[in-house]
Amino acid sequence: MNVIQADVLGMCFGVRDALDIIRDIERPHDVTIHGELVHNEKVLAELEARGFHQTKERGRHALPVTDIVLITAHGISQAERRRLEAAGKWLLDTTCPLVTRAHHAAQKLQQEGYHVLVIGKPGHVEVRGIIEDLNSFDVVEKLEDLRTYPHRRLGIMCQTTTQVRHAESVRAAIAAKNPHAEIRFIDTICHPTKDHQKALEDLLDQVDAMVVVGGRNSNNTRQLVARCRERGVPAFHVQDADDLRPEWFDGVHTVGLTAGTSTLAETIAEVRSALVAMGESQETYSTGCVA
Ligand code: SF4
């Protein structure tokens, strides 16, 4: 079995920069990470072992116990920022600049009088951060969520990890259902997400199956898996090499490898090595060699 790795895969600069800041913190016990830093269980376990306080995504309404609060790459709303600062918290901000750009796009649309349509996952931490500062908005996850809106101006933007093709089809459907409205679209999908998706498309033409490495809660990882299946290629979502099962690759000549934007390079390397080893043992088995 051949293993082909996507040209672009794994950790984006936004998550890497946040991890670099965290690595340099000398007194982890004095810091609360406000929400899930990355959707990667291995990294979260390491942070816990170092002594950081960590607020669960759904527990962010409670005030952190420490004076120093680390804002994750997913960002928070200005409303949440004011709440934390009013409580005397000192914010260590690792918000990705491309998430900040998405916040600015939403604010610009609102200031120009648009009802803001956010293409994204309702309840996702990044989407919550964007909509908490908006007065007039809807979150659109699927085409079925769409309706005719009573607003004269509709401003569309995206969660940064949205699939480009999905954003295009939602945008076209909004226009079709709202011919009365003036529509403005600001593309806020981040370029690492686009690069991952483009590399996957190129790879899917060459493989019989795909392995996608990433956290179970990682939105962009799940989207990579969904795209493989849309293209008719079997896809296996694993968190690390231990999740791989040799029987998945019976009859597979070429397997592709990609990974979500929260995946460590070392985890990808381990999965790749395990796949190569499985390929070698398939060959040994098929040639009858037991040496
Ligand atoms: S996925 Fe994109 S927006 Fe999110 S942290 Fe990475 S680079 Fe930034």
Side-chain angles (χ1 to χ4, degrees):
M1 180 172 76
N2 299 318
V3 182
I4 311 181
Q5 189 165 308
D7 287 341
V8 181
L9 77 172
M11 195 162 280
C12 62
F13 79 91
V15 172
R16 198 178 307 121
D17 288 356
L19 286 174
D20 285 347
I21 291 172
I22 294 217
R23 201 166 293 122
D24 291 342
I25 292 175
E26 288 175 2
R27 295 162 58 112
H29 292 92
D30 294 344
V31 179
T32 300
I33 299 172
H34 197 46
E36 210 168 274
L37 180 79
V38 284
H39 297 130
N40 179 319
E41 289 177 14
K42 183 175 178 195
V43 173
L44 295 179
E46 283 171 12
L47 294 174
E48 191 172 345
R50 278 186 65 197
F52 285 101
H53 299 264
Q54 297 185 65
T55 315
K56 296 229 178 304
E57 293 291 6
R58 303 215 170 270
R60 295 207 312 177
H61 53 276
L63 273 179
V65 290
T66 60
D67 289 340
I68 303 174
V69 179
L70 185 136
I71 307 305
T72 71
H74 299 105
I76 57 171
S77 62
Q78 290 302 320
E80 177 67 348
R81 195 174 294 270
R82 285 193 293 274
R83 181 182 82 100
L84 292 169
E85 287 176 345
K89 305 299 178 187
W90 188 83
L91 305 187
L92 183 54
D93 194 352
T94 71
T95 304
C96 174
L98 300 183
V99 172
T100 303
R101 190 184 65 157
H103 281 245
H104 289 163
Q107 286 303 307
K108 183 175 166 61
L109 290 170
Q110 173 161 278
Q111 282 156 14
E112 292 177 4
Y114 291 91
H115 175 72
V116 182
L117 296 174
V118 183
I119 302 175
K121 204 168 170 39
H124 186 280
V125 58
E126 180 193 321
V127 173
R128 289 211 317 264
I130 291 167
I131 62 175
E132 279 171 13
D133 290 331
L134 296 175
N135 303 320
S136 177
F137 68 88
D138 276 285
V139 179
V140 181
E141 183 178 20
K142 307 181 286 294
L143 288 173
E144 302 82 71
D145 298 338
L146 286 175
R147 55 194 171 89
T148 301
Y149 300 94
H151 312 275
R152 200 172 52 78
R153 306 183 98 190
L154 297 174
I156 308 168
M157 45 88 55
C158 310
Q159 183 177 344
T160 53
T161 51
T162 306
Q163 273 201 36
V164 174
R165 295 161 60 90
H166 179 64
E168 281 167 1
S169 57
V170 171
R171 179 185 172 187
I174 291 170
K177 275 197 183 264
N178 295 272
H180 65 283
E182 177 207 328
I183 294 178
R184 168 123 191 252
F185 174 71
I186 303 181
D187 181 359
T188 52
I189 302 172
C190 73
H191 63 80
T193 291
K194 287 180 177 171
D195 292 346
H196 276 66
Q197 290 174 7
K198 165 83 173 57
L200 176 65
E201 295 294 334
D202 295 344
L203 193 54
L204 285 172
D205 293 328
Q206 308 170 50
V207 300
D208 307 310
M210 281 294 302
V211 169
V212 184
V213 193
R216 279 189 228 295
N217 295 331
S218 162
N219 190 45
N220 70 84
T221 305
R222 287 203 293 234
Q223 287 184 343
L224 292 171
V225 173
R227 181 58 189 154
C228 298
R229 291 176 182 159
E230 270 170 28
R231 290 270 312 264
V233 176
F236 304 105
H237 181 175
V238 298
Q239 298 207 95
D240 54 36
D242 292 343
D243 288 345
L244 290 169
R245 295 287 167 267
E247 60 270 23
W248 292 343
F249 306 105
D250 287 346
V252 170
H253 295 293
T254 306
V255 65
L257 175 64
T258 189
T261 53
S262 314
T263 312
L264 297 168
E266 68 203 52
T267 308
I268 297 170
E270 285 162 11
V271 171
R272 185 188 169 93
S273 299
L275 286 171
V276 169
M278 283 178 193
E280 284 167 359
S281 72
Q282 276 179 346
E283 275 172 36
T284 305
Y285 181 75
S286 66
T287 57
C289 173
V290 292

